[in-house]
Amino acid sequence: MPLSVIHHPGYTIELPASHPFPMQKFRVLREQLGIAKLAMPATWLTPEPIGSAALRRVHDQHYIKALLTDGLDRAAQRRSGFVWSEALVERVRLETGGTLLTVEAALATGLACNTAGGTHHAHADAASGYCLINDLAVAAAHALAMGWVERVLIVDCDVHQGDGTARLFTHEPNVFTFSMHAGRNFPARKAKSDLDIELPNGMEDAAYLNALASRLPGLLAAYQPDLVIYDAGVDVHHDDRLGYLALTSEGLCARDKYVLSVCREAGIPVAAVIGGGYDRDIVALAKRHAQLHIAAADVASKGGL
């Protein structure tokens, strides 16, 4: 069975050349995956924009109305990191729809990957850190509401804590939030996930993988989720300009293979998103993000689907 990969050209929009967010990485990632030697074929799926009803399951209705209708004031736009535009709103709705489609595909086949997603800093009533809608939370809440699953585990390996996700699910026992992040990085004020692992600056491959392996299998066994949503942020890489950790590209690949393999060996479907990654060399950055999809194809080819 081919690996389901979700992508939409609308993941990329035009931003000013001076803007720090690497918007072109989604387009270049698609190009890289088109030439990558995957261990098995990919089936490319195209998402639809997420509907407002799904957004309101986790986001405040007044915030959603303001986001969709150009009602965000300047302070809110500064906190988001973007100037509001209709193209931006369409983009984040497509990205969130993509993560939801990734969840659907994972539940149907066992494993699926988005070429975007991981906007874990978005809160119920506010954007933050380039995150306007919390796609992880929207997808998890929708899967629960539709009765597709009873328990969701969010494994967040982005270098930044998934503070928005943690706060959104503080009182939701059917979603377990696990964030493994640099302790001295953004956000300055951390939330309380169900499980937080704070890592010291400069941590390298072996120590990072040991920390992950010391927690993830036991967590899967104890919580027994029906679905894992995996945020595979590459801002843990030693060349990332916003991350304080020191993983190599080989370490990223080992991390992703480990997470996907452990979950699939336990029979748990995995919906994976690319998370954060910041580098002015867009091709190098896209190649880091492609490690997730390469790892997924490898796991799937060995019986992970």
Side-chain angles (χ1 to χ4, degrees), residues 98-123:
T99 297
L100 181 55
L101 182 56
T102 306
V103 164
E104 293 185 66
L107 291 172
T109 67
L111 178 58
C113 299
N114 199 359
T115 58
T119 49
H120 58 175
H121 297 309
H123 298 270

Side-chain angles (χ1 to χ4, degrees), residues 70-84:
D70 191 17
L72 294 180
D73 61 26
R74 289 187 178 181
Q77 292 183 59
R78 283 196 300 271
R79 185 176 179 183
S80 78
F82 296 109
V83 174
W84 186 95

